[in-house]
Amino acid sequence: MAEDPLLMVIDGNGVVVEWSHRAQKLVGCTAEEVVGQPVGHLVTRVAEGARGDARPGRADVLLRGADGRAVADLRVQPMPGPDGTVAWAVCQAAPGVAAIPDIQAAAAEAWFAHAPVGLYVLDTDLRIVSAGLAAQIMGGVPAERVLGRRLTDVYSLPSPSQIEAMLREVLDSGVPGPERVVRMRLKDVPGRARETGVSAFRLEDQQGAVQGVAAVLADVSEREKKRARWHIRMELRERIERTLDVGATCQDLVDAVVPDFADIAVVEVVDSVVHGEHPPLAPLGREVPLRRTAFRYSDGEHQVQAHPVGDVRTLPFPGPYAQALTDLKPRVLDLRPDLPWLSADPARAEAIRASGARALIAAPLALRGAVLGLLSLYRTEQAGSFDETDVNFVLGLAAKTALCIDRARLYAREHTIATAVQRRLLPARPCSQTGIETAHAQVFGEAGGGGWYDAFTLAGARTALAVGKVSGQGIQAAAAMGEVRTVVRSLARLDLEPDELLARLNDTVVLLAAERAALSPSDPCQREPLTASCVYAIYDPLARTCTYARAYHPAPLIVSPDGTAVEVPDVPPGSLLGTSDGLPFTAVTVKLATGSVLAFYTPSILPATPSGGPGDLDPLRRVLAGAQRPLQDLCDDVVYSLRDGPLPGDAILVLVRTRTFPPGQAATWEFGPRPEEAGRARARVRRQLAAWKADEETAQDTELIVSELVTNAIRYGAPPMWVRIIKDLSISCEVHDGSSIVPRLRHPGTLDESGRGLGIVGRLVQAWGTRYTPDGKTVWTEQALPDC
């Protein structure tokens, strides 16, 4: 050390720990700038090849200053420490002493020989001129068999041209090629392909002349497996938790694992679970069928599967599939053609053979001891067998999937119950009378439970029509829908005008919403505000008018009899039911020609826009332009044009076609405020009922009803006065006068000689009431019509 002045000391980690004054003069850096920094910051160029006599523990390094001139020949020798560590002393070589290989060159040689990565040195023609020891061991072939060949000729690569282009780019530009992970294997050696990271850097001599390219091949199979598993978990977590459909959940699973983890994936679910029923407990009975709900094969162009998706059948017994659902333990097998259990299912055996599957994991989809289904994963020969780590990974996926399937099952069950409740709360058949014909179509949405419609008769051969939607979903929405529909029917019996009916309906929905908000915070229903939309209309076939109002619901479409005009009357939307914003409801009356079509609907019947909201009315207009066609055909055509996929809400369409009311089935006449008018009214009724061939009892009852109502109008009412009797599904009697005083049903005493009229009428009819008009009131009755 005396003959070689010390410049610096480097510890075992390559960090400068001591810096001399001589070194500062040679390099121009102070100790503060150097100590604690890696030595690589100082050494800018490595001398390639040995110079002088190589002796153990010493090497030459050519250190250059900022101007590029050589400032010193250096010698490096080890400095063992008292604790067993080794540092390196860097000294200035004495004049005339022969240079020896430096430590970095020695390190490069050691790395080339012993590094755990495959290193190939390629010449400027990209042909192999040298192969590292690790490359020979990894490939299982000596260097002599690969020398002179291109890397792409030695290895089987998915895209040889891309690797060749990368090496050429490194050779031309000098920019190191970043690692590319490819699946590769030696062409001349049997075996499966492995995930390999390929990177490269250019080789230059001391003068900067390009000598070739160094290609580094690192086996990154384990790293890529971990990365793939992490990616699968994240993708599955993101996708599988967004759906409440069993089939979509299973498809998300197979899409996540193929092709990164397995070449083939099959999911089969117990058929009753798909329909929302409780899963059976293990062991699964041999007779329990499973539905194939998802399948994916990495070779999408040549899919080979034993049974199509949707097929329902029992599992072959005995076999790994049935056994996995018996003890809820996975089965891991290397598939061979001579396995005895394959004969139990020839179709499955043929699919395994045709796909080239060589390894199988059959994992149960189970939850709390109950069987939901089976996950089967296959690998071909290229992918290799499954190991214990793979099995644990699959069990984690199966557990997560089973939980999501059970959640989707519960949702399906609730949806089924809500749909059943909703069906029972809606009209069982269309309401058609002499003056109208109706048809409807309903498609339950993904959530279901909130859409509703109704059509029922009113006095005077009129028809009430209502379509609406209640907020929320599931059973709660179905129950609320039933409440709203019942209230509409009850209010309609009071003969309210559409705007007044909606105002009172809003009061009821506000009350129901307040009751819901007062529930316990633990009740999930408490967190769902109750609102509803509705359009309510009354069609009068005698006046050929339709009066309607709407509460934040689309207005009905009106189609002319020949289909040439489809109009939407401009009606104020009104406020959403259940809110207290104070917006009034407005009723509008339109005159309709015979044969016109009215279309009431919910927004989900319209096509979706790119933003996800309801689209315009053009598709519905085009279908309804064929107004002469049967109404049910028009409903079906609208349903056929619905969007593909789950609907955001219930899609409802109610079509009404107006008819001419036969003039012989209604009779109207006026009368004056004279007592004898009651007798004349009885005579007119008797003649009309005889023309209708009514039985004697019906005729007598109707005479008495009209006589009492006319007498009350003469005694308490005012002109104008008229009587109308209508034969439709029942016998309706209407007596109108100009007074707004409401007749009151009294309960007279035993000796009272008056006050019994309305009591008698109430016993003879099935319903009676009072309807207010701009010029007075109309008292009406309805009698059951026997066969006549």
Side-chain angles (χ1 to χ4, degrees):
M1 292 292 295
E3 62 190 65
D4 297 336
L6 178 67
L7 297 180
M8 57 183 165
V9 178
I10 306 169
D11 65 10
N13 295 320
V15 177
V16 178
V17 296
E18 186 176 338
W19 186 253
S20 70
H21 181 69
R22 180 180 291 272
Q24 179 175 337
K25 290 179 62 178
L26 288 173
V27 181
C29 297
T30 64
E32 290 78 9
E33 295 173 325
V34 176
V35 174
Q37 299 296 323
V39 71
H41 290 179
L42 296 174
V43 182
T44 61
R45 188 163 185 174
V46 178
E48 295 186 8
R51 293 185 299 158
D53 181 25
R55 287 175 288 175
R58 300 176 68 86
D60 278 348
V61 176
L62 184 65
L63 186 66
R64 297 181 180 272
D67 58 358
R69 294 184 300 103
V71 296
D73 282 336
L74 305 180
R75 297 183 183 278
V76 181
Q77 65 182 25
M79 295 177 60
D83 56 353
T85 60
V86 177
W88 301 89
V90 180
C91 304
Q92 184 177 4
V97 178
I100 61 174
D102 66 317
I103 191 171
Q104 293 196 14
E109 293 177 3
W111 183 66
F112 186 77
H114 303 294
V117 293
L119 180 62
Y120 290 94
V121 177
L122 314 179
D123 61 15
T124 54
D125 292 329
L126 300 182
R127 297 187 181 276
I128 300 174
V129 297
S130 181
L133 179 60
Q136 301 176 51
I137 296 175
M138 290 170 56
V141 294
E144 293 77 13
R145 294 182 55 182
V146 298
L147 295 180
R149 302 170 63 185
R150 292 180 180 274
L151 199 64
T152 53
D153 295 333
V154 175
Y155 287 94
S156 176
L157 300 165
S159 300
S161 59
Q162 293 183 3
I163 298 299
E164 190 88 5
M166 185 266 285
L167 296 173
R168 178 61 63 182
E169 176 67 20
V170 171
L171 185 67
D172 294 340
S173 65
V175 178
E179 182 184 70
R180 298 188 182 188
V181 178
V182 295
R183 197 171 183 83
M184 58 189 298
R185 67 179 180 85
L186 283 166
K187 290 184 176 180
D188 300 336
V189 179
R192 63 185 183 90
R194 304 182 67 88
E195 300 293 335
T196 305
V198 180
S199 58
F201 56 89
R202 192 167 71 180
L203 300 175
E204 302 175 2
D205 61 14
Q206 289 185 349
Q207 287 71 39
V210 177
Q211 301 297 309
V213 175
V216 182
L217 279 60
D219 187 348
V220 295
S221 299
E222 289 303 319
R223 187 193 74 187
E224 291 303 310
K225 280 184 180 180
K226 293 179 181 179
R227 180 183 296 177
R229 289 169 186 163
W230 181 86
H231 177 74
I232 290 171
R233 288 193 189 98
M234 293 300 101
E235 181 181 3
L236 194 61
R237 179 180 179 181
E238 179 182 353
R239 298 176 61 176
I240 205 171
E241 294 182 352
R242 293 183 305 180
T243 179
L244 290 173
D245 180 79
V246 174
T249 297
C250 297
Q251 190 61 47
D252 286 340
L253 173 60
V254 299
D255 289 342
V257 298
V258 176
D260 292 337
F261 182 78
D263 295 312
I264 304 170
V266 181
V267 180
E268 295 163 296
V269 179
V270 175
D271 190 50
S272 59
V273 172
V274 178
H275 300 290
E277 300 179 16
H278 291 289
L281 293 175
L284 189 71
R286 299 186 188 182
E287 74 286 352
V288 177
L290 280 77
R291 179 184 295 272
R292 179 165 289 203
T293 53
F295 173 87
R296 186 170 180 185
Y297 183 27
S298 57
D299 186 358
E301 297 181 357
H302 303 89
Q303 294 195 11
V304 180
Q305 54 178 324
H307 311 291
V309 172
D311 189 58
V312 180
R313 62 180 62 237
T314 57
L315 290 174
F317 186 90
Y321 312 103
Q323 286 301 110
L325 299 186
T326 298
D327 56 16
L328 301 185
K329 295 180 180 179
R331 293 300 188 274
V332 185
L333 296 94
D334 288 329
L335 300 174
R336 306 187 311 272
D338 59 344
L339 291 173
W341 56 266
L342 286 175
S343 60
D345 193 345
R348 201 181 298 260
E350 174 59 24
I352 290 174
R353 184 200 63 78
S355 64
R358 292 294 180 267
L360 162 68
I361 291 182
L365 300 175
L367 189 65
R368 296 181 290 273
V371 179
L372 289 90
L374 178 72
L375 170 62
S376 302
L377 300 177
Y378 301 84
R379 281 180 178 172
T380 61
E381 184 175 359
Q382 295 295 328
S385 302
F386 293 102
D387 56 26
E388 190 65 28
T389 305
D390 293 331
V391 175
N392 294 332
F393 175 69
V394 171
L395 289 179
L397 295 183
K400 178 68 174 178
T401 304
L403 186 63
C404 292
I405 289 177
D406 190 60
R407 185 181 62 179
R409 176 193 67 82
L410 293 173
Y411 178 80
R413 180 176 178 82
E414 181 178 348
H415 182 264
T416 301
I417 295 173
T419 302
V421 171
Q422 189 176 11
R423 289 184 188 278
R424 293 297 300 269
L425 293 176
L426 293 176
R429 58 182 181 274
C431 169
S432 294
Q433 294 182 253
T434 305
I436 65 164
E437 172 194 1
T438 64
H440 76 278
Q442 181 174 18
V443 179
F444 293 107
E446 184 178 16
W452 63 281
Y453 67 94
D454 208 348
F456 51 92
T457 60
L458 296 176
R462 297 172 305 150
T463 302
L465 302 156
V467 172
K469 182 181 182 302
V470 175
S471 62
Q473 61 187 26
I475 300 175
Q476 298 295 341
M481 177 271 294
E483 292 177 311
V484 172
R485 178 172 175 260
T486 301
V487 172
V488 170
R489 284 220 170 197
S490 300
L491 293 175
R493 302 306 296 180
L494 299 177
D495 259 329
L496 302 176
E497 290 297 308
D499 54 341
E500 186 178 355
L501 184 142
L502 289 183
R504 297 193 181 186
L505 178 62
N506 181 57
D507 295 339
T508 303
V509 177
V510 168
L511 177 62
L512 294 175
E515 291 178 350
R516 176 179 290 191
L519 293 173
S520 169
S522 61
D523 192 325
C525 191
Q526 190 264 352
R527 297 188 293 271
E528 299 180 2
L530 176 61
T531 58
S533 65
C534 178
V535 57
Y536 178 75
I538 297 176
Y539 175 68
D540 187 342
L542 300 177
R544 296 202 301 276
T545 59
C546 180
T547 302
Y548 64 92
R550 62 192 183 112
Y552 211 74
H553 197 89
L557 300 181
I558 300 176
V559 187
S560 61
D562 57 2
T564 57
V566 180
E567 60 177 308
V568 183
D570 185 14
V571 184
S575 60
L576 196 64
L577 299 176
T579 60
S580 302
D581 53 15
L583 294 178
F585 301 101
T586 304
V588 172
T589 300
V590 293
K591 191 81 171 180
L592 300 176
T594 300
S596 299
V597 173
L598 284 167
F600 299 84
Y601 60 93
T602 57
S604 295
I605 206 74
L606 302 176
T609 60
S611 62
D616 56 34
L617 294 171
D618 289 343
L620 188 57
R621 292 174 187 268
R622 286 193 293 269
V623 174
L624 296 180
Q628 303 86 351
R629 299 174 57 204
L631 290 183
Q632 195 58 56
D633 289 352
L634 293 176
C635 286
D636 291 343
D637 285 348
V638 173
V639 171
Y640 298 154
S641 64
L642 285 177
R643 69 195 75 180
D644 185 19
L647 297 174
D650 294 333
I652 297 175
L653 176 65
V654 177
L655 298 182
V656 179
R657 177 178 285 134
T658 63
R659 295 173 175 170
T660 300
F661 198 85
Q665 291 185 209
T668 305
W669 67 90
E670 296 181 353
F671 64 92
R674 297 179 297 277
E676 60 270 19
E677 292 293 339
R680 294 191 182 119
R682 288 195 297 272
R684 288 287 301 267
V685 169
R686 189 182 307 112
R687 290 194 300 269
Q688 186 63 58
L689 292 179
W692 289 342
K693 299 181 180 181
D695 62 280
E696 184 63 24
E697 182 179 358
T698 301
Q700 291 178 356
D701 291 347
T702 306
E703 285 184 45
L704 180 56
I705 291 169
V706 171
S707 177
E708 290 294 336
L709 296 182
V710 168
T711 300
N712 279 344
I714 293 173
R715 180 174 299 179
Y716 304 109
M721 302 177 179
W722 50 262
V723 177
R724 180 162 61 191
I725 57 175
I726 305 167
K727 177 191 174 186
D728 192 16
L729 301 180
S730 61
I731 295 290
S732 297
C733 300
E734 298 180 338
V735 176
H736 177 84
D737 69 82
S739 172
S740 59
I741 299 176
V742 181
R744 182 169 58 91
L745 180 62
R746 299 174 58 191
H747 300 280
T750 305
L751 301 178
D752 290 345
E753 296 183 359
S754 62
R756 293 182 170 84
L758 286 181
I760 295 173
V761 170
R763 291 180 175 273
L764 296 177
V765 301
Q766 60 185 11
W768 73 278
T770 303
R771 179 171 68 252
Y772 292 97
T773 62
D775 61 346
K777 68 176 182 298
T778 300
V779 181
W780 57 267
T781 64
E782 282 188 338
Q783 302 164 252
L785 181 63
D787 296 336
C788 55

